[in-house]
Amino acid sequence: MGYYHKLVNNQTSIAPLVVFRMIFGIMMALSAVRFWVNGWVDSQFVQPKFFFHYFGFSWVEPLGEKGMYIIFFIMIFSAIGIALGAFYRISALLYFLTFTYVELIDLTNYLNHYYFVSLMAFIMIFLPAHRRFSIDVYRNPETYRKYVSAWTINIVRAQLGIVYFYAGVAKINADWLLNAQPLRLWLASRADLFLVGPLLKYKWVAFAFSWIGCIYDLFIPFFLCIKKYRGFAYFLVVAFHVMTAALFPIGMFPYIMILSTLIFFSDQFHEKIILFLSRFFSSENLSMQVNRGQINSIPQQLMRLSFGLFLFVQVIFPFRYALYGGELFWTEQGFRFSWRVMLMEKSGSATFYVLNPETDHKIEVNNRDFLTPLQEKMMATQPDMILQYAHYLKSVFEEKGVKNPEVYIDSYVSLNGRASQPFIDPTIDLTKLEDTFAPKTWILPFKG
């Protein structure tokens, strides 16, 4: 009970939570601005004719050009509101809703770190991260608190720890450890890099990266929790993510993780950051005069139980793949939302045929008439997206006057450098199938 009390109920400095709030808000605002500036709002949410949906979220649709830019405008300013602690609860809620809405629009754009951001944004709604060094405190000094229950900080640490640890667990597979795949493919393609490039073509380098990456992910959250090793562990965090950022095009994720893991550092470390920043602002000095201890704006017992359930789901959800047979990377049933980060190189081709049953006339579909290049690439290797596209083609040809069109596919997929194999049963009319949680028996077996 003593250890539980220390992790959950013990009163501790709010400083780590305040610093994390500022980091999270600034990084999320910059990410959204980067997305806007690079033209991805238009290319991903305005130009496509068709959008792939997450299971159960087929009702989520884009709002058109003006609507999507308004959404991103709200996202940017709500993230700034989080960073400044301005109308914090509203800002956190708006950011969570807008960001998650954008990510639900098209399954094509799924990334593990988008899922991480949605989870963290949801958590932030309920944390008292605005009770110090914020515009909210400046507006109402009575809301200032110097101490909070330890769980409000440890829930963030736990979520970060889950991301790292499960990424390591996912790497314990034959392709990653025994074949150094897909790193052998990816590193060899970067052999033109200055200075280190020539080394990347050697197999032993790929094996070293694979094993080090697995060990790093499995143990880094635990070493970050130990004061004696924390400094060295954070050095590894920086080195690891800087290296991955240099080698792979993975956007803001490495920098988000580098800065987010600062929350593992001591209260004193974060107090120094706030003290430094407070030299430029008067609100911290003014609010220091008010300190009424713990605040319970939401019943603490309810919050602890709710987040306990939240963490329980986070711990067991990645293992749902065990309910399905076959090769996980082939079928991808239970693959998403399980922190399987950069574990496979999968490429494929998918040729669709629409059959008019009345005339027995078969038409080969040009996917580029309906999908963007990115959508076509992602769809070709993911069974649920293939099924969605087949149903979309049915609706398109029905509008053209074809009654009860049938849709078939001729598909081949290569996994982690292997020769292409037939992927989907070409004899099945895909329009007769519905996407469910049941095993997809129409996926052809993986031959290894």
Side-chain angles (χ1 to χ4, degrees), residues 187-428:
L187 292 178
S189 69
R190 303 307 309 274
D192 59 336
L193 285 178
F194 175 71
L195 195 62
V196 299
L199 289 174
L200 301 181
K201 63 183 179 181
Y202 293 107
K203 290 183 181 180
W204 70 266
V205 174
F207 274 97
F209 273 54
S210 295
W211 279 84
I212 291 172
C214 180
I215 294 170
Y216 166 85
D217 283 334
L218 285 172
F219 293 100
I220 200 65
F222 302 103
F223 282 107
L224 285 168
C225 290
I226 302 173
K227 182 179 180 180
K228 180 179 179 181
Y229 303 111
R230 188 174 296 136
F232 178 67
Y234 190 70
F235 168 79
L236 294 179
V237 168
V238 174
F240 178 84
H241 286 295
V242 168
M243 180 178 61
T244 55
L247 290 175
F248 310 114
I250 50 179
M252 296 284 291
F253 182 66
Y255 311 107
I256 291 172
M257 296 303 288
I258 287 172
L259 293 175
S260 294
T261 47
L262 286 173
I263 197 170
F264 284 94
F265 280 79
S266 67
D267 298 348
Q268 293 76 17
F269 173 85
H270 292 92
E271 289 285 359
K272 291 178 181 178
I273 294 177
I274 294 177
L275 179 61
F276 173 78
L277 294 176
S278 66
R279 297 174 182 175
F280 307 98
F281 305 95
S282 60
S283 58
E284 176 72 1
N285 294 328
L286 290 173
S287 58
M288 284 292 287
Q289 300 172 13
V290 183
N291 182 21
R292 304 192 184 283
Q294 184 177 354
I295 186 165
N296 292 313
S297 56
I298 302 175
Q300 292 289 293
Q301 186 174 5
L302 175 61
M303 291 293 292
R304 290 195 298 268
L305 289 173
S306 298
F307 276 111
L309 178 61
F310 175 85
L311 287 178
F312 176 73
V313 172
Q314 287 289 302
V315 168
I316 65 171
F317 196 59
F319 292 105
R320 71 192 186 282
Y321 76 93
L323 300 175
Y324 303 95
E327 167 58 46
L328 170 62
F329 293 167
W330 185 251
T331 68
E332 298 198 33
Q333 294 188 102
F335 180 85
R336 301 187 191 103
F337 312 113
S338 58
W339 312 118
R340 300 179 186 280
V341 184
M342 299 182 68
L343 289 181
M344 64 179 181
E345 174 62 29
K346 205 174 181 185
S347 60
S349 64
T351 304
F352 288 81
Y353 299 93
V354 177
L355 176 68
N356 185 337
E358 293 183 334
T359 64
D360 206 32
H361 178 61
K362 183 183 288 188
I363 302 171
E364 181 177 330
V365 176
N366 183 354
N367 294 329
R368 292 296 175 94
D369 289 342
F370 307 102
L371 304 177
T372 66
L374 178 61
Q375 286 179 320
E376 183 180 18
K377 175 185 175 182
M378 301 303 291
M379 175 275 298
T381 64
Q382 300 183 53
D384 55 347
M385 295 177 72
I386 286 174
L387 190 59
Q388 284 188 44
Y389 183 52
H391 280 266
Y392 171 69
L393 290 175
K394 177 184 178 181
S395 67
V396 168
F397 280 84
E398 282 178 335
E399 291 178 0
K400 293 181 178 181
V402 180
K403 293 183 179 179
N404 301 315
E406 299 174 4
V407 179
Y408 299 88
I409 185 175
D410 187 18
S411 61
Y412 290 84
V413 168
S414 170
L415 175 62
N416 286 343
R418 295 176 177 86
S420 293
Q421 303 177 28
F423 189 43
I424 303 298
D425 189 340
T427 66
I428 292 181

Side-chain angles (χ1 to χ4, degrees), residues 98-112:
T98 53
F99 183 88
T100 305
Y101 161 71
V102 166
E103 297 316 313
L104 287 175
I105 290 175
D106 196 344
L107 179 56
T108 303
N109 305 318
Y110 170 80
L111 290 174
N112 280 285

